[in-house]
Amino acid sequence: MRTALVLLFLLAVAAIPGSLLPQRSLSQSNVSQYFRDHPTLAPVLDRLFLFGVFSSPWFAAIYLLLFISLIGCVLPRAAEHARNLLSPPPAAPRHLQRLPESTELAAGLPPAATLDVVEEELRVRRFRVVRREGRTGAELSAEKGYLRETGNLLFHLSLLALLLGLAGGKLWGYEGSILVTEGGGFCNSLQQYDTYSAGPLVSQRDLTPLCVDLTDFQAEYEENATAASFTADIGYGLAGAATRNTTIGVNHPLRVDGDRVYVTGHGFSPTFSVTLPDGTAFTDVSAPFLPTDTATMASEGALKLPDLGAGATDQLALQGFFAPTGLLQGSVLVSTDPRPLNPQVAIFVYRGYLGLDSGLPQSVYSLDQTQIDRDRLTKVATANLSVGESTTLDDGTVVTFSGYKEFAALQLSHDPGQGWVLAAAISLLAGLLGMLLVRRERVFARVGPGPDGGGTVLSIGSLTRGSADTGPRFTALTDQVRTALADRADRTSEPDVAAPSARGGAPEKEIPSS
Amino acid sequence: MIDPSLAALSDNLFTVSVVLYSLAVVAFCAELAFGNRPARSRELVAAGAGAPPAEQPGAGLVDGEPAESPRARRLGAVAMVLTVLGVVSHAAVLVTRGMAADRLPWGNMYEFATAVVLVAVVAYTVLALRAPVLRHIGAFVLGPVVLSMVLIGLFLYASAGPLVAALRSWWLGVHVTTAILGFGIFFVSGIASVLYLLRSRYEQKAAEGQAPSSSLLARLPSAAALDRTAHRTAVFGFPIWTFAVIAGAIWAESAWGRFWGWDPKETWAFIAWVVYAAYLHARTTAGWRGRPSAWVNVVGLTVMVFNLLYVNMVSTGLHSYAGVS
Ligand code: HEM
């Protein structure tokens, strides 16, 4: 138990750097920023897995050790508890006065009758009672509150189950994210996602062939521009099967057979039309621009048009800034509202070689800076445009800002462990309540001869687990016993009553009273 | 959508509550200053309460009330009345705010922290009414309460407004309400442990005959009673906190796409949970009873406060609904 606690504590301490340092799992760009800010320190931290604490080998090691030590202490305890449930309460300790609560009462009854009274009081209180013949006289042991230990075991077993569920989810779970513009869609395949993470035991064949199409996305705002709701109308279905329509949104994912589809963000894809000097027109081409400020939805991005002209050096690209509600401050375009009240773009137009087939991966949201640095991609125009406005390039090509579409950031998640974890968490809570609310009480009593040879001395002691406030309860018990003893003594002392009655079903034992 | 007059009323009630609590602190301090010494009456009471267990000196203090001068008792009653009035006004702060914005009044950090402090004061009031001896920790509970309220008013204030989309869920009522309850109860528990640490050292010195009986500490409840209060409140708060964390995970599953992602707020909620579990264990572990376990409880409260302040205001994570700019 000590080991398990130390390990649990270690797990908590190990989690601290994970919350203070940027983590790759949460934000790759924050990690990159940290590398730029701390060029000497960052590589050292990186070697210690401090930018991926929760998937590091040492975190896993603590987790595994905790798991093993929990098994090591819970299983023997469960066996012992089962034995306890079947066996009677333990024998009374030799010295009752050493128990946390104890007292002695003088009784005017024979020893067996005295214990009868005690037993009756305890049975009324739902104790399990046994009587034994001890070395110094008859004695009684009673116990109640077995549910406490049951709750304790349930708690610790649930903790085990929870750890198992978490681990299972990590091994067989995956999630992928993708930006989908209205009218577009995706199918559940790791290659399609913009980013994904998958457990080591996930193979492409395990992925449900679910396809999702985004028909419409709406963002609603209060008057003060607080986001009120984001909803996406989608069609979905297994590949080849019929498509069904539904609406998903924040707090309302799509759930189908263990897969869930979420809206995790949104943004705008400005659309442009490009007309070449020879009259060839490309209408409404668009690319998602990523929001850089969610309060105003000011966004940045790039639209790459590699297939316009004849050669690889006639490629065109627009890079720039989109403002749903644009305002020119001097010559700088800013956004003042997240709603598309007055969409405007500020773009740089580049012509040349984009380097898309150079073999090096590049971001879809920005141009390849190395091509610009090598003068293979040159800026040919700069323009601030409202919807419908255009700019004409030096060769007569016309670029028109034709409008915008909205895109949704969708995430598909699959975690086979999560139902298991939920069940474990609920039973953990139930066990915790049993463990904390139920008191386990043991009461022991022994009878002996009175000091002057007359009457009986009853010693009672109790041992309670789970409540510090045992004094008043023990006092209440002994007061009841004292009253009951006095009552019984009055009745038995009447001459006509021959033998003490055995109310409460206690076995009668012949103990000579001295 | 926002009712400006109700919002203004809420803000005014906040000030009223701070004033009432401050007056209560003054009355509690006066009670301590004029009270006679419970330390003296201890033996008397303990002797009357049957055989006191050897390891709990002064345990009788909670059950039997120590003799008190009438003046002190009157001051104590005044302080309690001021506290209860403060609670009423404090609760009204949240009610009017909820009505002004037509939603549950814990959608940003200002409202959350205000509600946590309310729970703490209510928890203290319930304790003090059930065991009058615990009234004597009033100054030490309401002092931090006033300080917290002033800091909340100065640094966390956010005007009444609608909820952001992510918070418009039934789970706000479940997750945040239980987190507030747990936090408020741990607040009182932590203070009881701090007082226990002070008082137990005082009792040690007193046993060696070198403690000034005029010390304020002489008027606190016994160390045993404080320790018991800290433990009982923590036992009460722990399942609530556990539930809050579980409810948070269930909400995160539908709001953020996964039930647990080691977001900073989640991480620190877990750390706090472990620390409180360790506290409950320490109380029943030989060698950790008493002062060491009380320190664990203090660490627990520190973690809770850190989670509220640092994680909301310094780090960035999914829980960034603080509304503090
Ligand atoms: C691995 C073996 C562990 C064993 C054998 C064990 C055993 C126990 C025992 C005997 C108690 C009851 C104390 C009492 O009766 O008053 C208890 C309580 C508790 N345990 Fe564990 N424990 C273990 C690990 C853990 C872990 C890893 C946690 C994680 C949080 C934990 C959390 C708790 C809590 C919160 C309590 C309630 C304390 C109380 O009774 O007030 N235990 N445990």
Side-chain angles (χ1 to χ4, degrees):
Chain A
M1 171 176 177
R2 186 82 46 102
T3 326
L5 259 152
V6 168
L7 288 169
L8 193 73
F9 218 80
L10 218 57
L11 202 64
V13 171
I16 294 177
S19 80
L20 301 182
L21 288 169
Q23 297 292 297
R24 291 209 170 86
S25 58
L26 300 174
S27 164
Q28 176 63 50
S29 63
N30 286 358
V31 176
S32 311
Q33 185 61 42
Y34 194 90
F35 267 83
R36 258 169 273 136
D37 294 348
H38 306 89
T40 44
L41 181 61
V44 179
L45 298 180
D46 199 23
R47 222 163 299 138
L48 298 172
F49 304 97
L50 287 172
F51 299 113
V53 166
F54 304 109
S55 49
S56 69
W58 50 268
F59 198 77
I62 301 175
Y63 187 92
L64 215 64
L65 286 174
L66 171 63
F67 189 76
I68 294 168
S69 97
L70 266 174
I71 293 180
C73 65
V74 169
L75 292 188
R77 271 177 72 106
E80 192 193 321
H81 182 52
R83 271 197 303 278
N84 273 348
L85 277 177
L86 298 176
S87 56
R94 178 94 61 88
H95 303 285
L96 293 185
Q97 306 87 306
R98 291 201 190 147
L99 292 173
E101 305 287 343
S102 70
T103 191
E104 294 201 334
L105 302 174
L109 290 176
T114 306
L115 278 191
D116 283 349
V117 170
V118 177
E119 175 166 357
E120 201 178 310
E121 283 306 322
L122 289 170
R123 285 203 187 272
V124 167
R125 286 161 201 246
R126 321 245 320 257
F127 275 84
R128 198 193 279 191
V129 185
V130 291
R131 283 164 74 162
R132 296 190 179 86
E133 196 52 48
R135 291 205 298 166
T136 57
E139 54 185 47
L140 169 156
S141 305
E143 178 162 7
K144 80 167 182 187
Y146 290 84
L147 255 181
R148 178 186 179 81
E149 180 69 8
T150 309
N152 188 295
L153 285 171
L154 182 63
F155 174 86
H156 293 103
L157 284 171
S158 308
L159 205 59
L160 262 177
L162 196 141
L163 291 178
L164 268 180
L166 277 175
K170 279 279 160 286
L171 293 177
W172 282 286
Y174 60 85
E175 67 182 37
S177 310
I178 185 168
L179 297 189
V180 181
T181 302
E182 286 167 325
F186 73 98
C187 288
N188 184 22
S189 138
L190 296 183
Q191 291 83 349
Q192 282 212 10
Y193 292 118
D194 298 338
T195 56
Y196 72 87
S197 62
L201 301 184
V202 174
S203 80
Q204 178 68 48
R205 265 172 305 140
D206 302 333
L207 272 60
T208 340
L210 180 72
C211 292
V212 176
D213 295 311
L214 178 66
T215 21
D216 190 23
F217 182 87
Q218 300 112 22
E220 284 168 23
Y221 294 89
E222 305 287 351
E223 296 116 63
N224 71 351
T226 304
S229 81
F230 302 115
T231 51
D233 294 335
I234 57 166
Y236 69 96
L238 297 185
T243 307
R244 278 186 278 171
N245 293 318
T246 188
T247 301
I248 61 176
V250 177
N251 284 317
H252 299 286
L254 167 72
R255 295 175 193 277
V256 270
D257 297 336
D259 295 318
R260 292 115 54 209
V261 181
Y262 298 87
V263 179
T264 57
H266 71 117
F268 295 94
S269 304
T271 58
F272 295 90
S273 295
V274 179
T275 311
L276 299 182
D278 64 4
T280 324
F282 297 82
T283 34
D284 290 345
V285 283
S286 74
F289 277 33
L290 294 184
T292 49
D293 173 11
T294 50
T296 63
M297 292 304 286
S299 311
E300 288 174 9
L303 173 64
K304 302 179 187 181
L305 302 164
D307 308 318
L308 287 183
T313 54
D314 287 341
Q315 298 173 337
L316 213 57
L318 313 175
Q319 174 156 322
F321 179 85
F322 173 85
T325 300
L327 178 71
L328 274 178
Q329 288 184 342
S331 62
V332 179
L333 179 65
V334 296
S335 179
T336 55
D337 197 293
R339 289 164 283 198
L341 304 175
N342 177 23
Q344 295 190 34
V345 286
I347 49 166
F348 297 132
V349 185
Y350 288 86
R351 187 186 300 118
Y353 172 64
L354 288 169
L356 291 176
D357 52 1
S358 67
L360 294 173
Q362 58 173 274
S363 163
V364 297
Y365 306 111
S366 60
L367 300 184
D368 185 354
Q369 188 62 35
T370 55
Q371 306 300 340
I372 297 174
D373 293 344
R374 287 190 204 145
D375 283 337
R376 302 179 69 177
L377 197 55
T378 46
K379 193 189 296 180
V380 291
T382 306
N384 287 342
L385 305 175
S386 293
V387 177
E389 291 181 348
S390 27
T391 181
T392 308
L393 308 187
D394 50 1
D395 66 351
T397 302
V398 179
V399 175
T400 311
F401 173 39
S402 55
Y404 66 90
K405 292 178 186 170
E406 289 189 72
F407 72 79
L410 298 181
Q411 175 186 317
L412 188 142
S413 309
H414 177 80
D415 182 346
Q418 86 175 23
W420 181 259
V421 170
L422 179 63
I426 291 171
S427 80
L428 178 140
L429 192 60
L432 184 65
L433 288 175
M435 161 165 79
L436 292 178
L437 300 183
V438 177
R439 263 183 296 264
R440 201 208 61 191
E441 288 175 88
R442 284 182 177 162
V443 174
F444 303 103
R446 179 176 288 131
V447 283
D452 47 2
T456 309
V457 172
L458 169 68
S459 319
I460 305 190
S462 91
L463 179 65
T464 303
R465 235 185 181 177
S467 162
D469 210 15
T470 54
R473 302 171 52 80
F474 184 71
T475 316
L477 174 69
T478 47
D479 284 351
Q480 287 273 314
V481 168
R482 189 180 291 122
T483 322
L485 281 175
D487 282 356
R488 193 73 63 88
D490 285 346
R491 256 179 291 142
T492 44
S493 62
E494 290 182 13
D496 290 348
V497 181
S501 66
R503 279 193 301 159
E508 280 296 311
K509 283 193 185 135
E510 268 320 305
I511 297 165
S513 59
S514 48
Chain B
M1 165 116 193
I2 303 298
D3 183 331
S5 60
L6 274 174
L9 175 61
S10 170
D11 294 350
N12 290 336
L13 283 167
F14 190 90
T15 313
V16 171
S17 313
V18 173
V19 170
L20 285 168
Y21 287 152
S22 306
L23 292 174
V25 171
V26 172
F28 276 125
C29 286
E31 180 197 10
L32 288 180
F34 292 121
N36 63 350
R37 277 164 256 133
R40 282 288 160 273
S41 56
R42 193 167 77 209
E43 289 80 9
L44 259 178
V45 176
E55 82 275 14
Q56 295 190 349
L61 275 183
V62 161
D63 315 311
E65 219 182 320
E68 248 181 324
S69 76
R71 181 126 148 253
R73 192 167 312 152
R74 232 174 298 129
L75 282 167
V78 168
M80 281 316 291
V81 168
L82 284 168
T83 306
V84 171
L85 288 177
V87 163
V88 171
S89 148
H90 193 162
V93 170
L94 292 170
V95 171
T96 47
R97 187 142 289 216
M99 284 161 55
D102 196 20
R103 59 174 172 80
L104 274 182
W106 29 85
N108 58 43
M109 205 171 153
Y110 163 74
E111 295 164 359
F112 179 87
T114 305
V116 166
V117 175
L118 175 64
V119 170
V121 186
V122 170
Y124 162 73
T125 311
V126 170
L127 285 173
L129 293 179
R130 286 178 44 161
V133 173
L134 290 177
R135 200 181 67 215
H136 299 297
I137 67 174
F140 301 93
V141 174
L142 287 202
V145 160
V146 170
L147 183 69
S148 307
M149 294 280 278
V150 170
L151 294 178
I152 288 168
L154 285 181
F155 297 113
L156 302 184
Y157 181 78
S159 50
L163 289 180
V164 299
L167 296 186
R168 299 187 182 190
S169 163
W170 187 77
W171 285 101
L172 178 73
V174 180
H175 168 60
V176 184
T177 309
T178 44
I180 288 169
L181 283 175
F183 196 165
I185 292 166
F186 285 150
F187 187 99
V188 174
S189 183
I191 289 178
S193 272
V194 170
L195 294 178
Y196 163 79
L197 287 168
L198 297 173
R199 169 78 189 196
S200 69
R201 204 175 46 210
Y202 168 82
E203 282 183 9
Q204 224 163 26
K205 277 202 204 140
E208 292 157 15
Q210 44 175 303
S213 60
S214 62
S215 160
L216 260 190
L217 295 174
R219 284 161 201 149
L220 282 181
S222 70
L226 287 169
D227 191 32
R228 208 172 326 146
T229 305
H231 180 238
R232 266 207 231 155
T233 40
V235 164
F236 195 71
F238 189 70
I240 297 179
W241 183 247
T242 309
F243 181 83
V245 172
I246 294 174
I250 296 175
W251 190 5
E253 194 268 344
S254 58
W256 298 334
R258 81 288 180 293
F259 65 88
W260 195 272
W262 296 108
D263 179 67
K265 178 76 51 171
E266 293 167 355
T267 305
W268 284 95
F270 167 72
I271 293 170
W273 188 77
V274 171
V275 172
Y276 281 106
Y279 168 64
L280 296 184
H281 261 99
R283 282 263 325 190
T284 57
T285 305
W288 279 84
R289 293 200 184 93
R291 299 179 60 88
S293 67
W295 275 112
V296 178
N297 197 15
V298 174
V299 170
L301 184 57
T302 316
V303 169
M304 294 294 288
V305 172
F306 178 84
N307 198 5
L308 177 68
L309 297 181
Y310 176 85
V311 176
N312 279 19
M313 301 173 77
V314 183
S315 80
T316 52
L318 293 166
H319 263 95
S320 302
Y321 303 122
V324 178
S325 44

